[in-house]
């Protein structure tokens, strides 16, 4: 009996997974049409790789969706975990094909790195000259981030309502970031639709606002996709510094990066008129508090080093950089590296913290940090009063001790993976400081570079093995560790 048959009969509903994967590939094929049409509009030859990839993806999707006939549509936890991990990898494998055959082709390792970085909204790039790429490639990079920002599985749940009865909740839990996953509607498909409608509405508003400024329509689309998804890809080789004189652009991007870091369920409540939810949400208040504190500390450091060149340099610029970092967007101010090592150390802290769970941002999430600090405070109190009974409270509710234990385990594993990734990269010949920074940057889905990968350089300089390691870290960070690591446990594969 084959391994596939054993898995299908005893562990996961493989036929159903293949069928859903087929539907997903059909959706990806539709998305690939847009960069192909963009190339046609601008008279670029890259329309052919995108059109051919779209056709290939569509054929594969139709075969998988129509030929797979599951005996049962039931999906359990194992199915949700396996499908979620498979989707992101398969999407990246098909999404990289245009990069292989475009007018400025990439190697296979570089193409996979670029695709995985896009879908996971990491924003790290191997392109040493972004501005030389075609409009179709720019749009595809932006679209990958936009699709991955809210989630591939979540989009599928929104457009295929039948999954509401076929393990939709398992898929939702495996992909959506955060500690707990609260539905904003009774049906999981309606929750997915509501979240995607908010996401789409914010994107459209941001495109129009950027277009009203110094950006043209195409640049507005690319940067809106990269901002609201907190991905950070830009259509300019200089990134946001191409518009560094525009106060308007900085303020608009800062606002929408901030919104990208807020729990979309909380945004949904506000759009329904429940603004009291903001004031009663401990995580949101912590998010705002951390940003405020970091802006003040950035401003003091800039003034201390004599880098003040006007009122914007100690107000708007630090605010932009702080929000960009904590939301894992990765846009940078042009003179950011001149702000000194203290600012860089604060950047590390924000990369680790991340923004709110249920948002498009990366990092460990402020929710978990809040749980950790509250639990640590309780433990310190017990050192003095060992017989006291205390519990962690967030948003006025007592948190289950098992959930607190899971948070602590997550944070421990998170840091161990950063260390393991750094050691693996150093074994590939990457300088040790750069190795650990790159590992940290990719697992937090921030995409910032430092040393050999920063300040005008790209991840292209790394050896191919290092790029595959970082690609795995990006995927693990985007799916919040457990979704990937659970597949490596023997218990997952036992009946």
């Amino acid at each position: 009996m084959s391994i596939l048959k054993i898995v299908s009969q005893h562990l996961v509903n493989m036929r159903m997974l293949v069928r859903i994967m087929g539907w997903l590939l059909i959706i990806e094929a539709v998305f690939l049409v847009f960069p192909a049409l963009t190339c046609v509009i601008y008279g670029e030859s890259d329309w052919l790789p995108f059109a051919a990839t779209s056709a290939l993806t569509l054929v594969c999707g139709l075969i998988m969706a129509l030929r797979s006939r599951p005996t049962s549509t039931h999906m359990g936890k194992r199915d949700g975990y396996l499908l979620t991990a498979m989707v992101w990898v398969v999407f990246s494998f098909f999404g990289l094909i245009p990069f292989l055959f475009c007018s400025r082709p990439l190697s296979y390792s570089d193409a996979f790195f670029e695709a995985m970085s896009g879908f996971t909204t990491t924003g790290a790039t191997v392109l040493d000259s972004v501005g030389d790429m075609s409009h179709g490639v720019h749009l595809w990079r932006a679209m990958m981030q936009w699709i991955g920002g809210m989630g591939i599985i979540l989009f599928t749940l929104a457009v295929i309502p039948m999954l509401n009865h076929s393990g939709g909740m398992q898929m939702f839990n495996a992909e959506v970031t955060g500690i707990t996953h609260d539905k904003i509607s009774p049906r999981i498909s309606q929750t997915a639709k509501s979240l995607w409608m908010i996401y789409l509405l914010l994107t459209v508003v941001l495109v129009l606002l950027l277009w009203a400024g110094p950006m043209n329509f195409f640049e507005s689309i690319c940067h809106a996709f990269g901002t609201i998804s907190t991905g950070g890809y830009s259509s300019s080789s200089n990134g946001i510094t191409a518009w560094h004189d525009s106060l308007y652009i900085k303020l608009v991007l800062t606002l929408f990066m901030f919104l990208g870091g807020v729990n979309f369920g909380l945004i949904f409540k506000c759009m329904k008129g429940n603004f009291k939810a903001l004031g009663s949400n401990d995580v949101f208040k912590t998010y705002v508090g951390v940003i405020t504190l970091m802006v003040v500390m950035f401003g003091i450091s800039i003034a201390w080093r004599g880098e003040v060149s006007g009122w914007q340099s100690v107000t708007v610029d630090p605010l932009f950089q702080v929000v960009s970092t904590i939301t894992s967007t990765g846009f940078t101010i042009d003179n950011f590296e001149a702000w000194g090592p203290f600012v860089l150390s604060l950047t590390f802290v924000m990369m680790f913290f991340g923004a709110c769970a249920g948002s498009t941002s990366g990092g460990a999430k402020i929710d978990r940090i809040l749980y950790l600090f509250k639990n640590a405070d309780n433990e310190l109190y017990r050192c003095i009063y060992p017989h006291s009974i205390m519990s962690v409270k967030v948003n006025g509710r007592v948190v289950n001790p098992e959930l607190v234990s899971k948070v602590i385990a997550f944070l421990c594993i998170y840091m161990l993976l950063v260390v393991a990734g750094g050691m693996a990269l150093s074994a590939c010949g990457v300088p040790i400081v750069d190795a650990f920074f790159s590992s940290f940057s990719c697992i937090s889905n921030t995409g910032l570079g430092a040393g050999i990968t920063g300040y005008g350089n790209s991840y292209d300089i790394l050896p191919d093995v290092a790029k595959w390691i970082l690609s795995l870290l990006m995927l693990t960070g985007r799916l919040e560790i457990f979704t990937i690591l659970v597949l490596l446990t023997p218990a997952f594969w036992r009946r």
Side-chain angles (χ1 to χ4, degrees), residues 222-288:
C222 291
H223 286 88
F225 283 8
T227 299
I228 202 64
S229 67
T230 63
Y233 274 157
S234 174
S235 58
S236 169
S237 295
N238 296 322
I240 297 302
T241 60
W243 297 273
H244 71 278
D245 291 330
S246 175
L247 174 62
Y248 175 80
I249 289 293
K250 290 178 185 177
L251 292 176
V252 170
L253 291 181
T254 299
L255 172 61
F256 281 84
M257 286 189 294
F258 175 83
L259 292 175
V262 177
N263 187 315
F264 274 72
L266 194 59
I267 296 177
F268 178 82
K269 292 179 181 178
C270 291
M271 293 180 70
K272 290 291 185 179
N274 183 13
F275 292 99
K276 292 182 179 179
L278 290 177
S280 61
N281 190 282
D282 293 341
V283 176
F284 178 78
K285 290 188 289 186
T286 303
Y287 176 49
V288 174

Coordinates of all heavy atoms in Angstrom, one line a residue, residues 222-288:
C222 N 1.0 49.8 -6.6 CA 2.0 49.0 -6.1 C 2.3 49.3 -4.6 O 2.5 48.4 -3.8 CB 3.3 49.2 -6.9 SG 3.2 48.5 -8.6
H223 N 2.4 50.6 -4.3 CA 2.7 51.0 -2.9 C 1.5 50.8 -2.0 O 1.7 50.5 -0.8 CB 3.2 52.4 -2.9 CG 4.6 52.6 -3.4 ND1 4.9 52.8 -4.7 CD2 5.8 52.5 -2.8 CE1 6.2 52.9 -4.9 NE2 6.8 52.7 -3.8
A224 N 0.3 50.9 -2.5 CA -0.9 50.6 -1.6 C -0.9 49.1 -1.3 O -1.1 48.7 -0.1 CB -2.1 51.0 -2.4
F225 N -0.6 48.2 -2.3 CA -0.6 46.8 -2.0 C 0.5 46.5 -1.0 O 0.3 45.7 -0.1 CB -0.3 46.0 -3.3 CG -1.5 45.9 -4.2 CD1 -2.7 46.6 -3.9 CD2 -1.5 45.1 -5.3 CE1 -3.8 46.5 -4.7 CE2 -2.6 45.0 -6.1 CZ -3.8 45.7 -5.8
G226 N 1.7 47.1 -1.1 CA 2.8 46.8 -0.2 C 2.6 47.4 1.1 O 3.2 46.9 2.1
T227 N 1.8 48.5 1.3 CA 1.6 49.1 2.6 C 0.5 48.4 3.4 O 0.8 48.1 4.6 CB 1.2 50.6 2.3 OG1 2.2 51.3 1.6 CG2 0.9 51.3 3.7
I228 N -0.7 48.2 2.8 CA -1.8 47.7 3.6 C -1.5 46.2 4.0 O -2.0 45.7 5.0 CB -3.1 47.8 2.9 CG1 -4.3 47.7 3.9 CG2 -3.2 46.8 1.8 CD1 -4.3 48.9 4.9
S229 N -0.7 45.5 3.2 CA -0.3 44.1 3.5 C 0.9 44.1 4.4 O 1.3 43.0 4.8 CB 0.1 43.4 2.2 OG 1.3 43.9 1.6
T230 N 1.5 45.3 4.7 CA 2.7 45.4 5.5 C 3.8 44.6 4.9 O 4.6 43.9 5.6 CB 2.5 45.1 7.0 OG1 2.1 43.7 7.2 CG2 1.4 46.0 7.6
G231 N 3.9 44.6 3.6 CA 4.9 43.8 2.9 C 6.2 44.6 2.6 O 7.3 44.2 2.9
G232 N 6.0 45.8 2.0 CA 7.1 46.7 1.8 C 7.8 46.7 0.5 O 8.8 47.4 0.3
Y233 N 7.4 45.9 -0.5 CA 8.0 46.0 -1.8 C 7.6 47.3 -2.4 O 6.5 47.9 -2.2 CB 7.4 44.9 -2.7 CG 8.1 43.5 -2.7 CD1 7.4 42.4 -3.0 CD2 9.4 43.4 -2.3 CE1 8.1 41.1 -3.0 CE2 10.1 42.2 -2.2 CZ 9.4 41.1 -2.6 OH 10.0 39.8 -2.5
S234 N 8.6 47.9 -3.2 CA 8.4 49.1 -3.8 C 8.7 49.0 -5.3 O 9.5 48.1 -5.7 CB 9.3 50.2 -3.2 OG 9.3 51.4 -4.0
S235 N 8.1 49.8 -6.2 CA 8.4 49.8 -7.6 C 9.5 50.7 -8.0 O 9.9 50.8 -9.1 CB 7.1 50.3 -8.4 OG 6.7 51.6 -7.9
S236 N 10.2 51.3 -7.0 CA 11.3 52.2 -7.2 C 12.6 51.5 -6.6 O 12.5 51.0 -5.5 CB 11.1 53.5 -6.6 OG 12.3 54.3 -6.6
S237 N 13.7 51.7 -7.2 CA 15.0 51.2 -6.7 C 15.3 51.9 -5.4 O 16.0 51.3 -4.5 CB 16.1 51.4 -7.7 OG 15.9 50.6 -8.9
N238 N 14.9 53.1 -5.2 CA 15.1 53.9 -4.0 C 14.1 53.7 -2.9 O 14.2 54.3 -1.9 CB 15.3 55.4 -4.4 CG 16.5 55.6 -5.3 OD1 17.5 55.0 -5.1 ND2 16.3 56.5 -6.2
G239 N 13.1 52.9 -3.2 CA 12.0 52.7 -2.2 C 11.2 54.0 -2.0 O 11.1 54.8 -2.9
I240 N 10.8 54.1 -0.7 CA 10.1 55.3 -0.4 C 10.9 56.6 -0.4 O 10.4 57.7 -0.5 CB 9.4 55.1 1.0 CG1 8.4 54.0 1.0 CG2 8.7 56.4 1.5 CD1 7.3 54.2 0.0
T241 N 12.3 56.4 -0.3 CA 13.1 57.6 -0.4 C 13.0 58.4 -1.7 O 13.5 59.5 -1.8 CB 14.6 57.2 -0.1 OG1 15.0 56.3 -1.2 CG2 14.8 56.5 1.2
A242 N 12.4 57.7 -2.7 CA 12.2 58.5 -4.0 C 11.2 59.6 -3.8 O 11.2 60.5 -4.6 CB 11.7 57.5 -5.0
W243 N 10.5 59.5 -2.7 CA 9.5 60.6 -2.4 C 9.8 61.2 -1.0 O 8.9 61.6 -0.3 CB 8.1 60.1 -2.4 CG 7.7 59.6 -3.8 CD1 7.1 60.3 -4.8 CD2 7.7 58.3 -4.3 NE1 6.9 59.6 -5.9 CE2 7.2 58.3 -5.6 CE3 8.2 57.0 -3.7 CZ2 7.2 57.1 -6.4 CZ3 8.2 55.9 -4.5 CH2 7.7 55.9 -5.8
H244 N 11.1 61.2 -0.6 CA 11.4 61.6 0.8 C 11.1 63.0 1.1 O 11.0 63.4 2.3 CB 12.9 61.3 1.0 CG 13.8 62.3 0.3 ND1 14.2 62.1 -1.0 CD2 14.4 63.4 0.8 CE1 15.0 63.1 -1.4 NE2 15.2 63.9 -0.3
D245 N 10.9 63.9 0.1 CA 10.5 65.3 0.3 C 9.0 65.5 0.5 O 8.6 66.6 0.8 CB 11.0 66.1 -0.8 CG 12.5 66.2 -0.9 OD1 13.1 66.2 0.2 OD2 13.1 66.4 -2.0
S246 N 8.3 64.4 0.3 CA 6.8 64.5 0.3 C 6.3 64.2 1.7 O 6.2 63.0 2.1 CB 6.1 63.6 -0.7 OG 4.7 63.7 -0.6
L247 N 5.9 65.2 2.5 CA 5.3 65.0 3.8 C 4.0 64.3 3.6 O 3.7 63.4 4.5 CB 5.1 66.4 4.5 CG 4.3 66.4 5.8 CD1 5.1 65.6 6.8 CD2 4.1 67.8 6.3
Y248 N 3.3 64.6 2.6 CA 2.0 64.0 2.3 C 2.1 62.4 2.2 O 1.3 61.7 2.9 CB 1.3 64.5 1.1 CG 0.0 63.9 0.6 CD1 -1.2 64.3 1.2 CD2 0.0 62.9 -0.4 CE1 -2.4 63.7 0.8 CE2 -1.2 62.3 -0.8 CZ -2.3 62.7 -0.2 OH -3.5 62.1 -0.6
I249 N 3.1 62.0 1.4 CA 3.2 60.5 1.2 C 3.6 59.9 2.6 O 3.1 58.8 2.9 CB 4.4 60.3 0.2 CG1 3.9 60.7 -1.2 CG2 4.8 58.8 0.2 CD1 2.7 59.8 -1.7
K250 N 4.5 60.5 3.3 CA 4.9 59.9 4.6 C 3.7 59.8 5.6 O 3.5 58.7 6.2 CB 6.0 60.8 5.3 CG 7.3 60.7 4.6 CD 8.3 61.7 5.3 CE 9.6 61.8 4.5 NZ 10.5 62.7 5.2
L251 N 2.9 60.8 5.6 CA 1.8 60.7 6.6 C 0.7 59.7 6.1 O 0.2 59.0 7.0 CB 1.1 62.1 6.7 CG 2.0 63.2 7.4 CD1 1.3 64.6 7.3 CD2 2.3 62.8 8.8
V252 N 0.4 59.7 4.9 CA -0.6 58.7 4.4 C -0.1 57.3 4.6 O -0.9 56.4 5.1 CB -0.9 59.0 2.9 CG1 -1.7 57.8 2.3 CG2 -1.6 60.3 2.7
L253 N 1.1 57.0 4.2 CA 1.7 55.7 4.4 C 1.7 55.3 5.9 O 1.5 54.1 6.2 CB 3.1 55.5 3.8 CG 3.1 55.6 2.2 CD1 4.6 55.5 1.7 CD2 2.3 54.5 1.6
T254 N 2.1 56.2 6.7 CA 2.2 55.9 8.1 C 0.8 55.5 8.7 O 0.7 54.6 9.4 CB 2.7 57.2 8.9 OG1 4.0 57.5 8.5 CG2 2.8 56.9 10.4
L255 N -0.2 56.3 8.3 CA -1.6 56.0 8.8 C -2.0 54.6 8.4 O -2.5 53.8 9.2 CB -2.6 57.0 8.2 CG -4.0 56.7 8.5 CD1 -4.3 56.6 10.0 CD2 -4.9 57.7 7.8
F256 N -1.8 54.2 7.1 CA -2.2 52.9 6.6 C -1.3 51.8 7.0 O -1.8 50.6 7.2 CB -2.4 53.0 5.1 CG -3.7 53.6 4.7 CD1 -3.8 55.0 4.6 CD2 -4.9 52.9 4.5 CE1 -5.0 55.7 4.3 CE2 -6.1 53.5 4.1 CZ -6.1 54.9 4.0
M257 N -0.1 52.0 7.3 CA 0.8 51.0 7.9 C 0.3 50.7 9.3 O 0.2 49.5 9.7 CB 2.2 51.4 7.9 CG 2.9 51.4 6.6 SD 4.7 51.6 6.7 CE 4.9 53.3 7.3
F258 N -0.1 51.8 10.0 CA -0.6 51.6 11.4 C -1.9 50.8 11.3 O -2.1 49.9 12.1 CB -0.9 53.0 12.0 CG -1.6 53.0 13.3 CD1 -0.8 52.8 14.5 CD2 -3.0 53.1 13.4 CE1 -1.5 52.8 15.7 CE2 -3.6 53.1 14.6 CZ -2.8 52.9 15.8
L259 N -2.8 51.1 10.4 CA -4.0 50.3 10.3 C -3.8 48.9 9.9 O -4.5 48.0 10.4 CB -5.0 51.0 9.2 CG -5.5 52.3 9.6 CD1 -6.3 52.9 8.5 CD2 -6.4 52.3 10.9
G260 N -2.7 48.6 9.1 CA -2.4 47.3 8.7 C -1.9 46.5 9.9 O -2.0 45.2 9.9
G261 N -1.4 47.2 11.0 CA -1.0 46.5 12.2 C -2.0 46.3 13.2 O -1.8 45.7 14.3
V262 N -3.3 46.8 13.0 CA -4.4 46.6 13.9 C -5.2 45.4 13.6 O -5.3 45.0 12.4 CB -5.3 47.9 13.8 CG1 -6.5 47.7 14.8 CG2 -4.5 49.2 14.2
N263 N -5.7 44.7 14.6 CA -6.5 43.6 14.4 C -7.7 43.9 13.6 O -8.4 44.9 13.9 CB -7.0 43.1 15.8 CG -7.7 41.7 15.7 OD1 -8.6 41.5 14.9 ND2 -7.4 40.8 16.6
F264 N -7.9 43.2 12.4 CA -8.9 43.6 11.5 C -10.3 43.3 12.1 O -11.3 43.9 11.7 CB -8.8 42.8 10.2 CG -7.8 43.5 9.2 CD1 -6.5 43.6 9.5 CD2 -8.3 44.2 8.1 CE1 -5.6 44.2 8.6 CE2 -7.5 44.9 7.3 CZ -6.1 44.9 7.5
G265 N -10.4 42.4 13.1 CA -11.7 42.3 13.8 C -12.0 43.5 14.6 O -13.2 43.9 14.7
L266 N -11.0 44.2 15.1 CA -11.3 45.4 15.8 C -11.7 46.6 14.9 O -12.5 47.4 15.2 CB -10.0 45.8 16.6 CG -10.1 46.9 17.7 CD1 -11.1 46.5 18.8 CD2 -8.7 47.2 18.3
I267 N -11.0 46.6 13.7 CA -11.4 47.6 12.7 C -12.9 47.3 12.3 O -13.6 48.3 12.1 CB -10.5 47.5 11.5 CG1 -9.1 47.9 11.9 CG2 -11.0 48.4 10.3 CD1 -8.0 47.8 10.8
F268 N -13.3 46.1 12.2 CA -14.6 45.7 11.8 C -15.6 46.3 12.8 O -16.7 46.8 12.4 CB -14.8 44.2 11.7 CG -16.2 43.7 11.4 CD1 -16.6 43.7 10.0 CD2 -17.0 43.3 12.4 CE1 -17.9 43.3 9.7 CE2 -18.3 42.8 12.1 CZ -18.8 42.9 10.8
K269 N -15.3 46.1 14.1 CA -16.2 46.7 15.1 C -16.3 48.2 15.0 O -17.4 48.7 15.2 CB -15.7 46.3 16.5 CG -15.7 44.8 16.8 CD -15.2 44.5 18.2 CE -15.2 43.0 18.5 NZ -14.6 42.6 19.8
C270 N -15.2 48.9 14.7 CA -15.2 50.3 14.6 C -16.1 50.7 13.4 O -16.8 51.7 13.5 CB -13.8 50.8 14.5 SG -12.8 50.7 16.0
M271 N -16.0 50.0 12.3 CA -16.8 50.3 11.1 C -18.2 50.1 11.4 O -19.1 50.7 10.7 CB -16.3 49.5 10.0 CG -14.9 49.8 9.5 SD -14.3 48.8 8.1 CE -15.3 49.5 6.8
K272 N -18.6 49.3 12.4 CA -19.9 49.1 12.8 C -20.4 50.1 13.8 O -21.5 50.0 14.3 CB -20.1 47.6 13.3 CG -20.0 46.5 12.3 CD -21.2 46.5 11.4 CE -21.1 45.4 10.4 NZ -22.3 45.3 9.5
G273 N -19.5 51.0 14.2 CA -19.9 52.1 15.1 C -19.5 51.8 16.5 O -19.7 52.7 17.4
N274 N -18.8 50.7 16.8 CA -18.4 50.3 18.2 C -17.0 50.9 18.5 O -16.1 50.1 18.6 CB -18.5 48.8 18.4 CG -18.2 48.4 19.8 OD1 -18.2 49.2 20.7 ND2 -18.0 47.1 20.0
F275 N -16.9 52.2 18.6 CA -15.6 52.7 18.9 C -15.1 52.5 20.3 O -13.9 52.7 20.6 CB -15.6 54.2 18.6 CG -15.8 54.5 17.1 CD1 -17.0 54.9 16.6 CD2 -14.7 54.5 16.2 CE1 -17.2 55.2 15.2 CE2 -14.8 54.7 14.9 CZ -16.1 55.1 14.4
K276 N -16.0 52.1 21.2 CA -15.6 51.8 22.6 C -14.7 50.6 22.6 O -13.9 50.4 23.6 CB -16.9 51.6 23.4 CG -17.7 52.8 23.6 CD -18.9 52.5 24.6 CE -19.8 53.7 24.8 NZ -20.9 53.4 25.7
A277 N -14.7 49.8 21.6 CA -13.9 48.6 21.5 C -12.4 49.0 21.6 O -11.6 48.2 22.1 CB -14.2 47.7 20.3
L278 N -12.1 50.1 21.0 CA -10.7 50.6 21.0 C -10.2 50.9 22.4 O -9.1 50.5 22.8 CB -10.5 51.8 20.1 CG -10.7 51.6 18.6 CD1 -10.6 53.0 17.9 CD2 -9.6 50.6 18.1
G279 N -11.0 51.6 23.1 CA -10.6 52.0 24.5 C -10.6 50.9 25.5 O -9.8 51.0 26.5
S280 N -11.3 49.8 25.2 CA -11.3 48.7 26.2 C -10.4 47.6 25.7 O -10.3 46.6 26.4 CB -12.8 48.2 26.3 OG -13.2 47.7 25.0
N281 N -9.7 47.8 24.6 CA -8.8 46.7 24.1 C -7.4 46.9 24.6 O -6.7 47.9 24.2 CB -8.8 46.7 22.6 CG -8.1 45.4 22.0 OD1 -6.9 45.4 22.0 ND2 -8.9 44.4 21.7
D282 N -6.9 46.1 25.5 CA -5.6 46.3 26.1 C -4.5 46.2 25.1 O -3.5 46.9 25.2 CB -5.3 45.2 27.2 CG -6.2 45.4 28.4 OD1 -6.7 46.5 28.6 OD2 -6.4 44.4 29.2
V283 N -4.6 45.3 24.1 CA -3.6 45.1 23.1 C -3.5 46.3 22.2 O -2.3 46.8 21.9 CB -3.9 43.9 22.2 CG1 -2.9 43.7 21.1 CG2 -4.0 42.6 23.0
F284 N -4.6 46.9 21.8 CA -4.5 48.1 21.0 C -3.9 49.3 21.8 O -3.0 50.0 21.2 CB -5.9 48.5 20.5 CG -6.0 49.8 19.7 CD1 -5.6 49.8 18.4 CD2 -6.3 51.0 20.3 CE1 -5.6 51.0 17.6 CE2 -6.4 52.2 19.5 CZ -6.0 52.2 18.2
K285 N -4.2 49.4 23.0 CA -3.6 50.5 23.8 C -2.1 50.3 24.0 O -1.4 51.2 24.0 CB -4.3 50.6 25.2 CG -5.8 51.1 25.1 CD -6.4 51.3 26.5 CE -6.7 50.0 27.2 NZ -7.4 50.2 28.5
T286 N -1.7 49.0 24.1 CA -0.3 48.7 24.3 C 0.4 49.0 22.9 O 1.5 49.6 22.9 CB -0.1 47.2 24.6 OG1 -0.8 46.9 25.8 CG2 1.4 46.9 24.8
Y287 N -0.2 48.7 21.8 CA 0.3 49.0 20.5 C 0.6 50.5 20.3 O 1.7 50.9 19.9 CB -0.7 48.5 19.5 CG -0.4 48.7 18.0 CD1 0.8 48.5 17.4 CD2 -1.4 49.3 17.2 CE1 1.1 48.7 16.1 CE2 -1.2 49.5 15.8 CZ 0.0 49.2 15.3 OH 0.3 49.4 14.0
V288 N -0.4 51.3 20.7 CA -0.3 52.7 20.6 C 0.8 53.2 21.5 O 1.6 54.1 21.2 CB -1.6 53.4 20.8 CG1 -1.4 55.0 20.9 CG2 -2.6 53.1 19.8

